Amino acid sequence: LPKQLEELRQRASAPAGQALALPFAAYRSAEIYQLERQQVFRRDWIAICAAADLAKPGDYVALRIAGEPVAVVRGADHKLRALSNVCRHRGSILLEEGRGNTQRIVCPYHAWTYDDDGRLMGVPYAGSTEIDRESHGLARFALEIWAGVVFVNLDRQAESLATVLQGVDRYVRNYQLDRYAVPATDWRQPELWHANWKLIFENAVESYHLFKVHPKTFEPYVPTRGFFYLDGAAPWTVTGGRITSKSKAPPGEPATMGEFERNNYILVTIPPSFIGMVTRGSWSWLTVLPRDEVSSVVSQGSLVPVRPGRVSQRASDAFNAAFMKEDRAICERAQRGMYAELTAGGNLVEMERIVGDFHQYLAWRLFGTEPEARHRSPEVSIFG
Ligand code: FES
Ligand SMILES: [Fe+2]
């Protein structure tokens, strides 16, 4: 292996409990990014949006997953499908990136037209040319919904997400995530951050930085010192923390919501791109996708049990905007450190074990290293 890859392999495969910062070059290397595109983003489950965000037939979201253009479309039959968003004629992008609603997919170049399950319906001015419609449909990718969130996998042979996440359910069961069915806000435009996707992911999963980076947003409400690790390994990690402010029970809160659920949040981390946080009032997540080796697309989504009033919606929008700004600034600042060649990162602290799990995931995907077994902390006994 070239030197950069070998250094990454060594550091990423350290035991999660003794993790080290990854080599800085991994956050700016085009070669490593190419490997990640193949081994991570073409093989694993990527969160897209809430299923409830695409409620009506014809609703779609179009985006790129590490370069691969994909559209998730709600068909006239109410089914969600993940389709290639590239025209089978000469390759134009079909649907504009972002959200919209359309009954048919019409290519903006020569107007080849596809229906909502990707079948080629029409070819204008075909003349005497015969085009086999069957073999000119849009490619279809795997799609699953977990906890109300749509995930797509470019590898149709991949293991089912429900199977991958089996062990997670017990930690979120009492919240009854299917109650969180209302999108909390209108769709927010994803942000382009100037940092490598791994740096943003690591920042989003660890609670170590809350006291320093978020002294007025997160820290007063979910303090760093209230953080705890529950269960995890390479494929997913469940952590949590204490909530210091008391919130009122939302109407219709079920009896399964116990002492624990009322006073703590649970964080579900599913690499490479999903970090979700559940409290009694909301199920919110952040997703990160690489644009290239040094910039990333960061999106937020949120489902709530009951549609919020305008005042509380405005307050939560302001809160989101404030902590996103703090995270963006620190990620872009750390990214500038990644160009240093005359120094290296060091030990991660105990609280950053979750970052170690992510490194184990990377070593597993990129180098086929056997990941460590699940690590459960003693606290998990309360979940039975
Ligand atoms: S590229 Fe789509 S119709 Fe020509
Ligand atoms: Fe943060």
Side-chain angles (χ1 to χ4, degrees), residues 203 209 214 327:
N203 175 71
H209 72 277
H214 307 293
D327 278 322

Side-chain angles (χ1 to χ4, degrees), residues 193 200 203-207 209-210 213-214 217-218 323-324 326-328 330-331:
W193 292 11
I200 297 170
N203 175 71
V205 302
E206 54 92 346
S207 303
H209 72 277
L210 300 182
V213 175
H214 307 293
T217 49
F218 279 126
F323 86 75
M324 286 285 276
E326 291 163 346
D327 278 322
R328 178 181 184 157
I330 202 65
C331 286

